[in-house]
C-alpha cells in the first residue's frame, strides 16, 4: 500500500459514518460491473468528465439506494484526497457532510410550486408513477433511431356503444343497455298487442320491436333539439347517447346566461310535446283497431310521458335545469340555482321511489287493483328504484360539477407550473439532472443555440432510463418536439386552461410569458391532482 493510499483510508474513516471493514477493501473489491465499465471509459481525457458528472447528478439517488454517500466510480483515493475541497463553491453538488445511512435526502423545494415541497428530485420519481407508463421503461431504445419523440397520438373520442351517425357533426351512440330495454319493451308491448289485436299471433313481437325502435327515434329527436340549441349558442356537444332510460346530450360548457340555460333545457320537452301532437293527428286519420292505429297511439302516449317526466322541476331533468335558470336569474348566482334544483331533484327521487308503486297499486295509472300483484308489483318496485337511483345520482353529479366550476378559477397555470431549466440537445441526461436539482427545478426544456425552446423532456422518459446509462444518453433522445398547442400562456386559468389542454392532449406543456419568455413546464398530472382537489373541496 502506498502512502497516498494510507492517507486516503484515514481520511475516509474520519469523514464517513460507515463501518470500519470498508478500510480493507481493495479497488478491485470495491468495483461493481458498472463501476468497472466507468473506470475503463474514464481512461481517455475526453471521457474523463462524464463519470464525474454521473456521480454528481445522481448523488441523491445513490444515497437512497446504497444507504450512504454517493459513489459510482472506484476512484476512492482521489475522492478522499479531495474531501478538504468540499467547501469550495465549485463543488456545490457534494454534500457538506455525509447523509444519514438510510432514507431519501430532503429534496429542494421548487420556488414556484409551494404546494409540492415533498416531491422527489427530477429523475427519482416514485415507482408508482412509472406504472401507468409501462411503454416508457426504456425510452432511449425507442428513440435511438428516430431521434426526438413523435407527437403523441390524439386520444380517441369518447365512445358510448354503437355509432349510429353524426347529425350536425355530433356522434350518436347507442349504449349496450338500450338493447336490454328494447327487448323489455318488445316483450311488454307484445303482450299488450295480444289483447288488443289477438289475430297477429307471433307477428305481434315484430310490431312491438318496431315500436321500440320508433320510440327511441323520438328520444333521439328530443336530444337533437338540445344539440341544435347548444350549437346555436356556440356550446360544443361531445356526443349524444341513447341508453337505458332515454338519452343524454353531453354539452361540454355551461350556458353563459340564465335565459340561454332555460331555452336550452326547454326545447327538448317542447319537441316531445310536438311529436306527441303529430302522432295524435296521425292516430285520428287511421282506424284505431289496426296496427298503425295502435302504434301511433303508443307513440303519442310515450312522447307525452317523456315530455311530462322531463318537465319535473329537479336535476338532472330538463325541468330541473329550467328551475336552475329561474333561480339563477333571481339571485344572480348560478351555484344557488344548481343547489336548489339538485335538492328538488333528490326529493323527486324519493317521491318516485315511494309514489310510483303506490300509484300502481291504487290503479291511478290505468290498472285495476286485481291486475296488480305478484310479478307486476315486483316489476313496478324495481322500475321505481331504478328511476329514483338515476335521478338521485344525476342530482348529486350536478352538485359536484357546479362545485367544480365554482373552484375552477383557482386552477391557474402560473401556480401549477414547475420550474424548468433550459439545456441543449446534446447535453447528457446526468448533467441535465445535476443542473435541475441544483436549481430546484422539476422539468427540462431543450433549447437551440439561440435559447429558443424546441422540445420538452418527459418525466416518465427520464425515470425509465437506468442511472448507469444517464451519462451516455442525450436529452434530445428523450424529448418531445413542441407544437403550437403545447405552448400555453402563464395567464390561463379555470375552464379556459382546461379547454386549452384538452385541445392538445400531452403529458407536459411549455408555459410562457406574454413576451415569449420561458416560465416553466406544466404537467398534466399536476393539473389532474389540482382538479381532484377542487372536486373534493367543500363549498
Amino acid at each position: 500500500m502506498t502512502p497516498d493510499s494510507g492517507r486516503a483510508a484515514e481520511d475516509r474513516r474520519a469523514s464517513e459514518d460507515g463501518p470500519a471493514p470498508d478500510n480493507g477493501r481493495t479497488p478491485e473489491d470495491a468495483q461493481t460491473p458498472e463501476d468497472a465499465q466507468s473506470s475503463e471509459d474514464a481512461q481517455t481525457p475526453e471521457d474523463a468528465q462524464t463519470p464525474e458528472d454521473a456521480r454528481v447528478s445522481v448523488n441523491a439517488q445513490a444515497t437512497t439506494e446504497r444507504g450512504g454517500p454517493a459513489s459510482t466510480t472506484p476512484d476512492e483515493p482521489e475522492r478522499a484526497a479531495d474531501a478538504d475541497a468540499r467547501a469550495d463553491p465549485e463543488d456545490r453538488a457534494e454534500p457538506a457532510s455525509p447523509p444519514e445511512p438510510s432514507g431519501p435526502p430532503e429534496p429542494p423545494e421548487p420556488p414556484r410550486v409551494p404546494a409540492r415541497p415533498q416531491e422527489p428530485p427530477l429523475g427519482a420519481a416514485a415507482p408508482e408513477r412509472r406504472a401507468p407508463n409501462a411503454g416508457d421503461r426504456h425510452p432511449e431504445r425507442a428513440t435511438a433511431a428516430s431521434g426526438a419523440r413523435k407527437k403523441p397520438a390524439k386520444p380517441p373520442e369518447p365512445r358510448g356503444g354503437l355509432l349510429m351517425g353524426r347529425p350536425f357533426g355530433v356522434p350518436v351512440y347507442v349504449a349496450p343497455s338500450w338493447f336490454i330495454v328494447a327487448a323489455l319493451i318488445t316483450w311488454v308491448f307484445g303482450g299488450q298487442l295480444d289483447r288488443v289485436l289477438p289475430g297477429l299471433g307471433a307477428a305481434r313481437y315484430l310490431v312491438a320491436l318496431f315500436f321500440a325502435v320508433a320510440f327511441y327515434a323520438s328520444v333521439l329527436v328530443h336530444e337533437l333539439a338540445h344539440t341544435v340549441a347548444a350549437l346555436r349558442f356556440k356550446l360544443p356537444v361531445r356526443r349524444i347517447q341513447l341508453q337505458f332510460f332515454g338519452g343524454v346530450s353531453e354539452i361540454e360548457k355551461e350556458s353563459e346566461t340564465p335565459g340561454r340555460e332555460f331555452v336550452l333545457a326547454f326545447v327538448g320537452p317542447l319537441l316531445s310535446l310536438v311529436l306527441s301532437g303529430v302522432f295524435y293527428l296521425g292516430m285520428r286519420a287511421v282506424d284505431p283497431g289496426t296496427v298503425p292505429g295502435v302504434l301511433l297511439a303508443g307513440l303519442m302516449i310515450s312522447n307525452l310521458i317523456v315530455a311530462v317526466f322531463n318537465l319535473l322541476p329537479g336535476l338532472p331533468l330538463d325541468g330541473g335545469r329550467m328551475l336552475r335558470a329561474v333561480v339563477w336569474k333571481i339571485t344572480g348566482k348560478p351555484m344557488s340555482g344548481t343547489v336548489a334544483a339538485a335538492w328538488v331533484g333528490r326529493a323527486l327521487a324519493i317521491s318516485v321511489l315511494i309514489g310510483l308503486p303506490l300509484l300502481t297499486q291504487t290503479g291511478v295509472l290505468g290498472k285495476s287493483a286485481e291486475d296488480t300483484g305478484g310479478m307486476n308489483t315486483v316489476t313496478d318496485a324495481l322500475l321505481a328504484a331504478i328511476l329514483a337511483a338515476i335521478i338521485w345520482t344525476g342530482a348529486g353529479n350536478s352538485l359536484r360539477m357546479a362545485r367544480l366550476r365554482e373552484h375552477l378559477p383557482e386552477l391557474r397555470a402560473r401556480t401549477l407550473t414547475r420550474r424548468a431549466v433550459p439545456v441543449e440537445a446534446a447535453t447528457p441526461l446526468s448533467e441535465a439532472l445535476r443542473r435541475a436539482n441544483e436549481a430546484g427545478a422539476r422539468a427540462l426544456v431543450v433549447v437551440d443555440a439561440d435559447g429558443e425552446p424546441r422540445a420538452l423532456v418527459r418525466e416518465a422518459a427520464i425515470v425509465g432510463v437506468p442511472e448507469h446509462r444517464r451519462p451516455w444518453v442525450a436529452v434530445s433522445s428523450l424529448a418531445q418536439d413542441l407544437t403550437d398547442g403545447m405552448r400555453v400562456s402563464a395567464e390561463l386559468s379555470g375552464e379556459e386552461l382546461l379547454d386549452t389542454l384538452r385541445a392538445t392532449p400531452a403529458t407536459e406543456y411549455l408555459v410562457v410569458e406574454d413576451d415569449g419568455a420561458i416560465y416553466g413546464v406544466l404537467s398534466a398530472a399536476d393539473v389532474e391532482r389540482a382538479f381532484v382537489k377542487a372536486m373534493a373541496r367543500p363549498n
Side-chain angles (χ1 to χ4, degrees):
M1 178 181 294
T2 64
D4 292 339
S5 301
R7 183 167 58 84
E10 293 175 3
D11 292 341
R12 188 167 63 253
R13 285 196 300 269
S15 61
E16 295 182 352
D17 295 331
D22 288 342
N23 297 334
R25 287 196 311 175
T26 63
E28 291 78 12
D29 296 334
Q31 287 181 344
T32 63
E34 294 81 356
D35 296 335
Q37 180 64 34
S38 300
S39 178
E40 293 175 5
D41 294 339
Q43 299 302 318
T44 62
E46 294 79 358
D47 298 333
Q49 183 63 20
T50 303
E52 182 66 17
D53 292 343
R55 182 170 66 252
V56 175
S57 64
V58 300
N59 184 37
Q61 294 88 331
T63 301
T64 303
E65 295 176 0
R66 299 172 182 241
S71 177
T72 61
T73 69
D75 303 330
E76 298 276 342
E78 294 181 12
R79 293 192 60 200
D82 293 339
D84 296 335
R86 291 181 179 177
D88 188 85
E90 296 295 327
D91 199 21
R92 296 176 183 174
E94 293 291 334
S97 61
E100 292 296 329
S102 62
E106 185 70 20
E109 179 178 350
R112 297 189 181 180
V113 193
R116 300 166 54 86
Q118 299 300 325
E119 286 286 352
L122 183 62
E128 57 267 18
R129 291 191 180 180
R130 298 175 57 185
N133 301 285
D136 294 330
R137 292 175 181 173
H138 300 287
E140 76 280 4
R141 299 179 185 174
T143 56
S146 59
R149 284 181 174 269
K150 297 180 180 179
K151 179 182 177 181
K154 191 172 183 178
E157 63 183 9
R159 299 185 62 87
L162 181 64
L163 178 63
M164 301 302 295
R166 295 178 178 271
F168 306 102
V170 178
V172 177
Y173 294 98
V174 174
S177 59
W178 177 86
F179 295 96
I180 300 176
V181 178
L184 181 62
I185 293 176
T186 300
W187 176 60
V188 174
F189 194 68
Q192 295 176 350
L193 285 176
D194 190 31
R195 294 193 295 268
V196 178
L197 300 173
L200 288 178
R204 66 181 183 273
Y205 292 107
L206 185 61
V207 176
L209 178 60
F210 178 82
F211 169 78
V213 174
F215 168 67
Y216 268 90
S218 302
V219 174
L220 176 60
V221 173
H222 175 109
E223 298 303 330
L224 285 175
H226 292 306
T227 298
V228 172
L231 296 177
R232 175 69 178 80
F233 295 143
K234 308 298 182 183
L235 302 177
V237 182
R238 182 177 301 177
R239 64 177 178 178
I240 298 175
Q241 187 183 46
L242 301 179
Q243 48 189 232
F244 193 81
F245 277 103
V248 58
S249 301
E250 296 186 6
I251 302 173
E252 297 184 359
K253 290 185 178 181
E254 289 288 334
S255 300
E256 298 179 355
T257 64
R260 290 185 175 184
E261 175 76 1
F262 188 92
V263 172
L264 185 61
F266 181 63
V267 291
L270 177 62
L271 201 55
S272 293
L273 288 175
V274 171
L275 287 176
S276 180
V278 170
F279 289 130
Y280 174 76
L281 294 177
M283 183 184 65
R284 296 291 300 271
V286 299
D287 188 354
T290 61
V291 171
V294 173
L295 286 176
L296 289 171
L299 291 174
M300 184 267 296
I301 296 174
S302 61
N303 276 274
L304 182 61
I305 293 174
V306 168
V308 173
F309 182 74
N310 275 277
L311 285 174
L312 293 177
L315 286 173
L317 302 176
D318 294 331
R321 299 186 64 181
M322 295 165 62
L323 174 62
R324 173 181 182 268
V326 172
V327 178
W328 178 5
K329 181 66 175 180
I330 295 174
T331 63
K333 298 179 180 179
M335 186 64 183
S336 299
T338 302
V339 171
W343 280 106
V344 172
R346 288 177 171 178
L348 181 62
I350 297 176
S351 300
V352 170
L353 179 63
I354 300 175
L356 185 60
L358 291 178
L359 292 176
T360 303
Q361 290 291 329
T362 56
V364 175
L365 297 181
K367 294 182 180 180
S368 62
E370 294 80 7
D371 294 335
T372 58
M375 193 63 180
N376 288 334
T377 302
V378 174
T379 302
D380 293 338
L382 180 61
L383 177 62
I386 294 175
L387 284 174
I390 292 175
I391 297 173
W392 183 278
T393 303
N397 290 338
S398 299
L399 273 177
R400 283 189 290 272
M401 291 304 299
R403 183 192 307 130
L404 171 63
R405 285 189 169 91
E406 190 177 41
H407 291 299
L408 270 183
E410 301 175 11
L411 299 180
R412 295 186 292 272
R414 188 175 294 278
T415 58
L416 295 174
T417 297
R418 298 179 177 184
R419 185 176 183 180
V421 293
V423 293
E424 295 185 354
T427 305
L429 179 59
S430 60
E431 171 63 17
L433 292 178
R434 183 190 68 81
R435 298 179 189 176
N437 292 334
E438 273 191 354
R442 292 275 299 152
L444 300 174
V445 179
V446 179
V447 297
D448 58 16
D450 297 328
E452 290 294 325
R454 297 301 180 190
L456 299 178
V457 182
R458 297 174 59 228
E459 184 180 14
I462 296 175
V463 175
V465 180
E467 292 180 11
H468 68 276
R469 286 190 52 83
R470 291 177 180 179
W472 292 274
V473 176
V475 293
S476 61
S477 65
L478 308 176
Q480 175 182 334
D481 289 337
L482 282 172
T483 61
D484 292 339
M486 293 173 63
R487 298 172 186 260
V488 300
S489 171
E491 304 302 327
L492 291 180
S493 64
E495 196 163 355
E496 185 181 6
L497 173 61
L498 297 181
D499 291 341
T500 301
L501 302 188
R502 190 185 300 118
T504 307
T507 55
E508 283 90 11
Y509 300 84
L510 179 67
V511 181
V512 295
E513 298 283 7
D514 292 338
D515 59 357
I518 298 175
Y519 181 76
V521 172
L522 179 64
S523 171
D526 293 341
V527 178
E528 182 180 357
R529 279 188 287 269
F531 189 90
V532 172
K533 288 181 180 179
M535 286 285 288
R537 191 174 306 164
N539 292 331

